[in-house]
Amino acid sequence: MTDQDPTPSVTADARGRVAELHEIRASAHAGPSAKATEAQRAKGKLTARERIDLLLDPGSFREMEPLRRHRATGFGLEAKKPYTDGVITGWGTVHGRTVFVYAHDFRIFGGALGEAHAQKIHKIMDKAIAAGAPLVSLNDGAGARIQEGVSALAGYGGIFQRNTRASGVIPQISVMLGPCAGGAAYSPALTDFVFMVRETSQMFITGPDVVKAVTGEDITQNGLGGADVHAGTSGVSHFVYDDEETCLEEVRYLLSMLPQNNRENPPSTESEDPVERRSETLLDLVPADGNRPYDMRAVIEEIVDDGEFLEVHERWATNIICALTRLDGEVVGIVANQPQSLAGVLDIEASEKAARFVQMCDAFNIPIVTLLDVPGFLPGVDQEHGGIIRHGAKLLYAYCNATVPRISIVLRKAYGGAYIVMDSQSIGADLTYAWPTNEIAVMGAEGAANVIFRRQIAAAEDPEAMRQKMVKEYKAELMHPYYAAERGLVDDVIDPTETREVLIRSLAMLRTKHADLPSRKHGNPPQ
């Protein structure tokens, strides 16, 4: 059976019809032609069905509407009506739990979206929302099917509307395995996580040809919207990998740490890492001198189960770390300043990155642990004019709005507004701890002394000696490690080596926490 011969024969007996059914199914499963499959592989890409097989547990996929065809006419479409209409939809399991999926088949119309194609996606999205299970989209399409005109564009509108309705209800994951241009790029942007593969996946609103025509800038597809660009510059992509196999395996790993929906908790596992395991290494990892950098990732590895965590947006806004991990087998989200990058300051991008992560954790019942070593917000004209007030408020709003268990630990510096924003007790953290190396203050001692004692310093015979004396006095009075604890702003100052046990015991106590927000249609977060 071919695209040009769409009408099946009619046989009289049941056996003949069943045989015909299997023939039609085999045709739909095989795709348009061996040549089209070869062309797909020549680009270094797998077929849609091969991708689904890698994503889902073996033998678990159940396809919906494999025999769907478009009804469009004109421009030669009436003579070409392939089965599936260029998108494969259905459900299966990942680690034994139900997951819905749709995958563009680039071999058919370049994966372009037409009316029937869109209706298949709408249906599977509706099923995912109704069943309360994650939705994974495997994107490899050339945008709207031009031959179908506005009907194709309306199909995108239906997808966007469902993306928005599903937001915070079920996990939505977009895996970019080919081109995604124009309005089509907004669906991944509405989902919780975006995965990309180097060299083969690109995302942009207007392509290189349009950019060159309008601005005169000459740029390649990968230079404009490739995986590395979106992972490190724009922040559109959360994860990037070198090949599809690794990418899809990591999607499976991420799904293992997410609940099915917002009414469930993330899946627990048995951990062989002892709850009471002490870590003497932490005493050497974090220098007491607040001006010396260190790698916060090493601190996280020491605390969490078996040193394993999945970092989100690893290459974007590197001055803050957002990661999913486990403590005693229970999933937690970690937000931590990274002193190795910009000294761990908060800036526009770090605030946006952490705010979205906090909102995701709160939506899907994932407790949040915040590790503070923050000297403040990044000063500068660019930051102020870029709206650091507005963007910093996003992180503040996200924390204040979160009802999941929240624990913060001050490792070293926690200065000014950044200390408040990074889940301090005053904005609703359930428990706040500090290491004996903590310095919680309005600003650093040097800056504070210059402001408070400027007259004494200016009038002194030796201004520098006086300044050093005042810095020492300020530290002794207002910045000693127990100042915040004495005032109830920190629940306890803990031994760093016991951090893991303290967190696990505290999270176990908070597991049954229940908190309600005021009745409202929705908040109006800063944009």
Side-chain angles (χ1 to χ4, degrees), residues 78-332:
E78 64 274 7
K80 190 174 184 181
K81 296 186 176 183
Y83 291 117
T84 74
D85 200 47
V87 64
I88 300 167
T89 65
W91 73 91
T93 60
V94 172
H95 303 299
R97 299 190 303 155
T98 300
V99 172
F100 289 81
V101 61
Y102 69 86
H104 299 128
D105 191 341
F106 195 83
R107 299 173 302 167
I108 298 174
F109 299 126
L113 181 138
E115 183 181 23
H117 182 121
Q119 288 173 353
K120 287 183 66 175
I121 294 175
H122 296 169
K123 182 180 286 189
I124 205 67
M125 294 180 79
D126 289 339
K127 289 284 188 294
I129 296 169
L135 174 71
V136 178
S137 62
L138 305 180
N139 297 269
D140 185 7
R145 197 174 299 170
I146 299 172
Q147 300 95 316
E148 294 195 32
V150 72
S151 296
L153 291 179
Y156 276 123
I159 294 173
F160 303 156
Q161 192 266 346
R162 287 166 174 83
N163 284 140
T164 303
R165 186 151 49 90
S167 181
V169 178
I170 58 171
Q172 299 180 85
I173 299 174
S174 297
V175 188
M176 315 311 296
L177 301 168
C180 185
Y186 283 114
S187 177
L190 289 168
T191 60
D192 300 301
F193 298 98
V194 176
F195 287 72
M196 294 188 75
V197 176
R198 290 187 177 91
E199 302 303 322
T200 57
S201 60
Q202 302 90 26
M203 298 173 67
F204 35 70
I205 299 299
T206 53
D209 292 341
V210 176
V211 169
K212 186 174 182 179
V214 174
T215 70
E217 298 170 286
D218 197 356
I219 193 166
T220 64
Q221 286 196 350
N222 279 321
L224 181 63
D228 288 319
V229 168
H230 286 310
T233 304
S234 72
V236 170
S237 178
H238 299 78
F239 306 97
V240 60
Y241 300 98
D242 290 328
D243 57 81
E244 294 188 19
E245 291 85 354
T246 304
C247 179
L248 291 168
E249 183 58 38
E250 289 299 294
V251 174
R252 287 175 57 87
Y253 180 47
L254 173 60
L255 284 166
S256 75
M257 305 186 81
L258 298 175
Q260 290 292 90
N261 53 64
N262 64 341
R263 302 183 302 278
E264 297 183 7
N265 291 323
S268 300
T269 62
E270 291 293 328
S271 175
E272 296 181 359
D273 196 344
V275 171
E276 63 279 1
R277 171 174 59 79
R278 295 171 62 89
S279 180
E280 300 292 333
T281 306
L282 289 174
L283 299 176
D284 301 316
L285 276 177
V286 182
D289 181 357
N291 294 319
R292 289 179 58 193
Y294 62 93
D295 188 355
M296 184 65 83
R297 290 189 184 91
V299 175
I300 296 171
E301 287 177 1
E302 284 296 315
I303 295 171
V304 304
D305 290 357
D306 304 311
E308 293 183 0
F309 61 92
L310 178 64
E311 187 169 351
V312 179
H313 268 144
E314 179 181 357
R315 299 178 56 204
W316 183 59
T318 55
N319 41 321
I320 201 158
I321 295 171
C322 298
L324 290 170
T325 187
R326 282 189 168 91
L327 285 167
D328 195 31
E330 302 291 341
V331 177
V332 298

Side-chain angles (χ1 to χ4, degrees), residues 410-482:
V410 180
L411 277 58
R412 289 196 313 188
K413 301 184 297 296
Y415 293 163
Y419 154 64
I420 298 296
V421 168
M422 289 287 292
D423 207 19
S424 63
Q425 188 180 103
S426 59
I427 66 168
D430 296 296
L431 289 168
T432 54
Y433 297 110
W435 286 5
T437 47
N438 80 83
E439 292 182 357
I440 304 174
V442 175
M443 63 175 68
E446 289 78 8
N450 288 338
V451 172
I452 298 172
F453 306 112
R454 62 183 182 276
R455 291 180 180 175
Q456 294 95 314
I457 293 171
E461 292 184 6
D462 187 343
E464 181 56 27
M466 176 61 73
R467 193 179 73 82
Q468 291 299 329
K469 177 184 176 183
M470 293 298 99
V471 167
K472 187 176 181 180
E473 181 178 318
Y474 183 84
K475 281 187 174 182
E477 288 293 325
L478 298 177
M479 290 183 64
H480 63 80
Y482 309 102

Side-chain angles (χ1 to χ4, degrees), residues 20-41:
E20 182 182 64
L21 169 64
H22 287 302
E23 181 185 346
I24 293 173
R25 284 188 176 278
S27 174
H29 195 278
S33 67
K35 183 178 179 181
T37 301
E38 289 171 10
Q40 178 82 347
R41 293 206 172 112

